[in-house]
Amino acid sequence: MEMKFSGQFEVSPPPAQAFDLLSDPQKFAPLLPTFSSLEMKDANTAVVKVSVGIGKIRGTATTQMTLKEKVAPKHATYVGTGKVMGGAYTMISSYDLEPKGTGTLVKWQGEVQLVGKILSLAGGGMRGYAEQQIQSVVTSLQQAMSPEYQKEATARKAAQAEKKSSGWMSGLMKKLRKHEEAAAAVEAAPEEAIDASALLAGYTGPAMDAVDATAAVSQPLNSFARNGDFSAAVASHKGDKWVHASLSRKEDGRLVRGRGLFVDDYKVAGMLHMSLVRSPYGHARIVRIDTSKAEALPGVVCTLTGKEVAAVANPYMQIGPGDAQNIKDYPMAVDKAIYQGEPVVAVVAENPRIAADAAQLVEVEYEPLPAVTDWKTALEDKSILHPGLGTNHHWHGVYEYGDLDKAFAEAATVIKIGQMDFHRFASTPLETNAVVATWTPFGGVDFLCNNSFPAIVIQMIAPSLNLSIDQIHCKTMDVGGSFGNKIGNYPYMALSALASRKAGGRPVKWVETRTEHMQAGGHGSERVYLDTEVALDKDGVITAVRAKHIDDCGAYPRYEPLGCVIWSQVLPACYKLRNIRIDFNQVVTNKGPSSPNRGYSRLQQLWFMERVIDICAHELGISADEMRLRNYIREFPYTTPNGCVYDSGNYPLLLEKAKELIGWDDWKKKQAAARAEGRWIGIGIGTTLDSGTNNFGQARIVNPYLPFSGNSEVATIKLDLDGTVVVSLGSTPSGQGHETTTAQVVADELGIRPDMVEVRTGFDTAFNSHGGHSGSYASQFAVTGLSAAHGACQKLKKEMKKLAAFALEANEDDLEFGIGQQGPELRVKGTDRSINYWGLSAMVNINTASQPPELADITLNIRHVYRPPFKIPDTDKKFGNLTLTYASQLHIAVIEIDTKTYVPQILAYAAVDDCGNVINPKIVAGQVHGATAHGIGAAMMEAYIYDKEANLLTSTFTDYTPITVMNMPDLAYGDIETPSPFSYNGAKGMGEGGGAPLHTICAAIQDALFDKGVVVRNTFNPPSDIYRLLKNPNWAECVKVERRAA
Amino acid sequence: MPDAINKVTIDMTVNGRKFRRQVEPRMLLVEFIREELGLTGTHIGCDTSYCGACTVQLNGAPVKSCTMFAVQADGCEVLTVEGLEKDGQLHPLQKSFSEHHGLQCGFCTPGMLMATHALLEENPHPDRYAIKKAIAGNVCRCTGYQNIIKAVEAVAASSKEA
Amino acid sequence: MYPAPFRYHRPTSLKEAILMLSTLGETAKPLAGGQTLIPILKLRMDEPTDLVDIGRLPDLRFVKNEGGWIEIGALSPHGWIARSDIAKTVPIVKDCAGGIADAQVRSRGTIGGSVSAADPNCDWPALLNTLDAEIRCSGPEGDRTIAIGDFITEAYTTALQPGELVTSVRFRTPPAGSGGAYIAYKKAAAAFPVISVGVQMTVAPGNVCQDVRIALGGSGPTPRRAEQAEAELCGKALNSQVWQHAADAVAAIAEPTDDVRGSSEFKRQLLRGLFLKAGDTATRRSANAIIEGSHVYA
C-alpha cells in the first residue's frame, strides 16, 4: 500500500541555515511535536521515536532515518524505515529549498509504503490506524519546520528533558498524589482516594494460603472395556462382513472426549517454547539483526538467526532441474526475506508468553527490495528472488500429444478463450503446523509432529542436519487436518531441532499461530491459462485443446515443481479428445510458499477443462449436460493421450444420478419461470477426477535426474505375546479413519471382529512400517495402505496356518479362521479342534520349546511392502501411467444471484461420487462433504489476496473467512461403484475430490448470467466480482469463434 | 509494558471441581484450562476469535475461551468437553457425533460439542436453522458441517421422543 | 496470540472504576466483555499497562421500557438483549443483537463495549443511529447524555473523556404502527460486517410513510444517517418508484472503502439492495407482520 504526501512551507531562516537544520536529524528530530527519543546510529542515520495514537489505541512509532542525498543548500532526501503496530513502513521524503525573501521556501514530498499484517486486519479496517499513524509522523515533520514551532522549540526541549527523566511510575505517582490532594480537599469523600500502592499492585484475588492449590483434574475410575466404544459400534452392526460396513470409528472414542493427542496437547518435562520473528516485507535484504534485548529478557533461553542456521545446516534438496538446484532454501531467511512472514529470528523461552514478549524485542533492520507478486512481473526478471536460479521462471516444459495442426485444420469450429485465472487459496487445517523437537543425547532428533508425508520429510531433514535417517525419530499422533498443507511444515521441524540443540537438548515446542499459518503455512498454487484454443467437430465434440499455463508457486518451490507434472495425471479430464498441447511453466513470486492442497495441481487442470467445455457449449448453443455426454470417455480402462490409464468409471451414470438427486427437470422449470420474472438462477455441472496413488516416476518428467519411481506403502502385522492382532501403518491419517478401515479389512481377512484388531495410532519411524513414500497424500490409502495391510494379512495367515496345522495335526487346507469360545482361532473345519491366537503366539514367543525346527522361520511378525505395478515414464515424450486409480465426481449446483445485492446463494447442491468399492460408506460420504465444502469455500469466500507490495491482505481467519455452516448448502449425496481393476479390493483412492465445486459454481454463475454477455474466468467469485463482471461484459472480448465451412 | 506484574489468585469450578490458582492477568482462559489444569480437549485454532475450537461453557453460556482472560472467569463455573461424560457414560451428543460421523480429525469437535450442548440446554428441540446459528462461530474443515447438523438433530429428536 | 503483560484491576463500583481509570491515565483501558479489546491485545496491536475490569459492575445489565424510553444497560450482552422483552417488542433490536458475530461472542460482548469501540463496520453504532439513541455516560466530571451522532466522533473514536464510561443507551419507544429492520452483510458470522443498514419507519393507513429514520454502517468512518433518503419517503405513498429514489439517495451518501471484501462501487450497490430489503421488512413489520430478520452471509 502506497501513500503520497507533498506540500510546502516557508521558514524565516535563509536556505543555508534551514538546510543545516534539515540535514541534521539531531537538530530537527527533537522538534517533532510527538518526539519521544533519538539515537544516532552514525553521522547520517538517526533512530527517532515518536508517540502516535488513534482513538483508543496508542503506541510508539520508531523510524530510522538516513540522509541519502545532501546537496547543500538545495536538496535533501531521507529514507526512513519504521515499525508501526503490526507492520512496517518505508518513507522516502525529499526537501527542495529555495530562497524566498530573507527566508526559505521548503517544498517537500513524501512517499510511504506500508507493509505488514496490519493491512489485513478487519478486512483492511485497521489500515486506517496505520495510515493515521504515518500521517501523524509526516505532519510532525512538517510542523517541526514551521516558524511557530521553532519559536517554541527551546521551551519544548526543556519540558521534554524533564519528561524523559520521569518514568511511567513517577508520572503515575504524581498523578496519584494530585488525586489524593484533590480527594483530601473534598469533604466527606475519603473513599474516593485510591491507595497508590494497591493500584500499582492491581487486583490480586484471595490469598493462596489454607487452600489446596494443587488440586488437579481427576476422574472416577470407572470399569472399562478394551476398545469399549468401538466394541459397542461393532456390536451394533448386523452381519459378519466388515468391508463396506458403515461402521462408527474407533478414533471417535478419544476425540469426542477431548482426549485426542494433538501436538500442542503434548507436554514433557523441561519443554521450551519457540516463537518466530517474521519479515513484514515481501522482499527485503536483512541488514542487521540485534537479539540482545530479547536475550536479556528473563526466561529467554536463546535466540537463533538464519546465519547461525546456515552455518551448521545444508539447504534443502531441490526437486527442480538445472539451476533450480542452486536455490538455497533454509528454515530461516539468511541474507534476505522473500515473502511476508518468512522466519528471520527464532526465540526460545520457558513459556510461550515470554517467547512472544522476547520476539517483540528483537530488532531487525531491512532494506526493502522490489516485490514480485504476479506471473507477469515474475517473468520480466527485473527483480530476482533466487540469485542461484538467476530467473524467476522456475520450470518450463511442453506437453504435446496427437496432431494439433491436423485437428485444428479439420475443425468445424475453433474457439479461442482469453486469459483465465485459478486463484490462491488453501484448506487451512484447523490445527496449525506444530512440532515438539528434541535433540537427544544419542545424537539424533526426536520429533512429535503433524507432518502428513513424514517419509519424504525425513529424507529432506536428514541431509540438511547432517544426520542419518535412522537418527531421526519421527512420530505423529492425532493430526487436526492436513489436506496436503502439512506436507510443507518440515522447515519448522528442522528449525525446532536446531533450537533444541542450541538450548542444550531441551525439548522445544513450536505451534504456529493462525496468522503465521495464513502467511507461511502453505498455499495452494495459482495458475493462469493463456492463449487457449479449442478445436471442435460439427457435433460439438472437442478434438483438440492448446494453451499456455503458468503456475505461481510462491517464494520457495519446496515440493515444486512436482505440480508441473501432477496436473497431467488428468490431462484430458473426463473427455475423449486426443490432441492436446500445453506449454507449462512455473514462476516464483514474493508470496507464501505453496504446498500441496486438496486436489493438488489436478483441480487446476480439471477446472480449466470444465470451463472449456462449458464455454464451448454456451457458444455452440449446446446444453451443458448434452455437451458432456457428447464428450465423455466411455470405455474403460482408457489410456489417455499421455499414457495414463483411467481404470474404471461411468460418467453418464454419474450425471444421471446427480440429475435425479437434485431434481434436474424440476429445477429447469423453476429456472425458466424465475428467468421470466427477471431473476438470475443458474444450474451448473462439474465432472472431475480424483487420481490416486502416484507413480513417483512422474517426478522424472520435471527433472530426469531424480532417483524416484513407483510407489510403496508398508504395513506390519503381528500376533502379540497375548495373541492380539497388532497392525501398524505408514500413513498419517488426519481424520480419514485409517484405524477403523484397516481394522475392517483385517477383520474380514481373519474372520474376526474389527474391535479385535489393534491398529496403532499415527505414524512412527520406530514402528518400522514405513517406506520411502509413506504418508497420507494423493488419495491413496484405500489402495496403498489397505493393500499393504491386506498383503501383510496374507503372509501372517500363511504362518498361522502352518503353526496351527502342526499343533492340530491337520492339513492346512482343512483349517479355517474364525472366532471360537476362546476368542480368535483357527479350527479344523467341521470339528471342535482349534487353537486360539494366544496358543499360536505362545508357540513362537513364550512356549518356544514346543516349536518344531521346521517352523523356526515363523515369526508371526510380518512387514509387508505394497508396490503398485508402475513403470518409469518416458521423460522425453512425457508419457506413462502416472496414477493407479481414478475416482470420479459429478456435482450439480443451483445458484440464485440476488439481482439487488449480487449475493449468490446456493439453492440446491448434489454431489455424486464413484470411488469404486467402498470400504466404509460413512467415511467416504464424510470425505465428499468435506471436499465439497472446501470447493464451495474457495469458489465463493476464500482467497489469499496480496497487494502489489506483497502484503497478504487476508492473513487472519476473520479476513480469509474459511467457509462456515451459514455458507454451506444442504448437500444431497449419492454414489455409484465402478470397481477398480487395479486394486486388490476394487477400491480407488479418494478424499481429495477433484475440486468439483469450483467448477460447478462457476458454471452455475455463468448459467445464471447466461444472457449478460459475461464469461466467468476466475475460480474466485465473491459478490463484488460478480458485480464487476456484470458491469463489464467480457464475452465478446474473451471468447472468439471461427466457424469453418463443413 | 508495566514494570512488575502481580499474579492474581482466582477460584474456578471446572467440570464440577473447584480449583484455586495464581495466574498472570494476561493468561487467557483457554491457556488456563490447557496449561494449568491439563485439560487439553479445548483447542486453539485461530487468533482472532473466528474458529470456535476453544468454546467452553461459562456459567452455562457458550464462550470462546481464547477471547477471555482467566481472571475474568474468577468465581465462575466452567464446563469443558471433558465434563460432558458422566459416570462413564458419554453424553448423547458425543455418541451422536460418532454415530453420524460428525467428526473427522476431531480438532473442532470439542468446540462443536460445547456450542451445541449449550444450545440444547437452552432449547432442547432446536430446528435446523437454530442449530446452524449455534455453530455459526465454529469452523470445521473436515465435515462440511453436514453430519454435525445431523448429529445434533438426532439428539434433539430423541429427547423429543423421550 | 499472547497479549503483552498488563496489570489487572477489578473495581466493585462504577465510581471506583471511573476513579481508577482517570487515575491510571490513558495507558489504562476498561475491559467489559472483551470481545473487541482482547483480539486487539492478542495481536499486540495495543499494549495497555492496566486493564480495569468493569465486567462485574453491578446494576449495568438491564433493559427498561418506561415513560416512552427504552433503556439498555451498558453491560448487557448482545445475546441477552436478543432474548429480552425489548427484542420482542422492537424487532430491529433483535435483528441487530441476535445477528452480531456468533453465539459465543454474543454471550460476552456488551452493547456498551461495542458502542465505545466505535468500529465503522460494527452493528450497534448503526442500529443506535437508526433509533436516534442517546448514550448515557458517567465520568470524573459527573454524568452526561450524548446523542449517538455526537458520541462517535471519528472511526474508533468517541466523545468519551479519560475515565468516562458508557452506562446505558436509550431511545424512544417506537410508537404503534412503527416497524423497523436492520440488515448487515458479512461473509461469515464471526467476520466483520461489510456494510449495514437500519430502517425504522411509521406507516399510516394507505401505505403512507409518516416517519422514517435510516442509518448506514460501513459507509464511512462513522455511521451515517441518510436524510435525503428519508425525505424521499416521508409523507409519500410507498411504491416501488419511491423506494428506488430513496435507494438512490442512500447509495449516493455512502462512502465505503475499497478493500478485500469488495470495491466501493460494489458496496454501494449492495447497500442499495440491502436497504430495499430492510425497507420492505420494516414496512411489513409496521403492519405487525412477524418476520425473522437476520444478517446476510456470503
Side-chain angles (χ1 to χ4, degrees), chain C residues 115 124-135 146-153 169 213 223:
Chain C
V115 76
W124 278 123
L127 188 277
L128 292 174
N129 216 302
T130 312
L131 294 172
D132 198 11
E134 294 175 349
I135 312 300
I146 309 171
I148 180 75
D150 299 327
F151 180 77
I152 297 177
T153 55
V169 304
R213 202 173 150 100

Side-chain angles (χ1 to χ4, degrees), chain A residues 56-58 85 123 125 129 168 176 179 192 199-200 202-203 352 357 360 898 941 961 967 1023-1024 1027, chain C residues 2 7-10 19 23 26-27 29 44-45 47 116 156-157 185 187 259 262-263 265 269 277 298:
Chain A
K56 296 199 157 40
I57 299 181
R58 304 213 165 258
M85 300 166 310
Y129 280 110
W168 185 89
L176 291 173
H179 239 284
E192 280 199 7
L199 199 52
L200 286 176
Y203 177 79
D357 293 344
Q360 232 182 342
D898 190 301
M941 309 177 65
T961 56
N967 316 97
S1024 182
Y1027 172 76
Chain C
Y2 302 103
R7 263 183 297 270
Y8 175 77
H9 308 271
R10 190 189 290 162
L19 190 56
T23 307
E26 279 195 85
T27 60
K29 296 275 179 322
R44 300 210 177 191
M45 304 296 290
E47 297 180 19
S116 304
Y156 310 101
T157 311
Y185 165 79
K187 289 176 77 177
D259 58 33
S263 65
E265 192 193 340
Q269 292 309 313
K277 281 176 197 291

Side-chain angles (χ1 to χ4, degrees), chain C residues 5 16 26 52 57 70 90-91 101 132 137 141 195 212 225 259:
Chain C
E16 193 189 358
E26 279 195 85
V52 176
L57 296 182
I70 288 174
V90 192
D132 198 11
C137 314
E141 315 293 327
I195 208 154
V212 61
R225 193 171 156 202
D259 58 33

Side-chain angles (χ1 to χ4, degrees), chain C residues 7 10 62 80 88 136 159 176 206 214 232 247 275 280-281 294:
Chain C
R7 263 183 297 270
R10 190 189 290 162
F62 63 85
W80 185 81
K88 286 192 192 90
R136 310 189 88 179
I214 302 162
E232 293 287 348
F275 165 70
D280 180 56
T281 304
S294 184

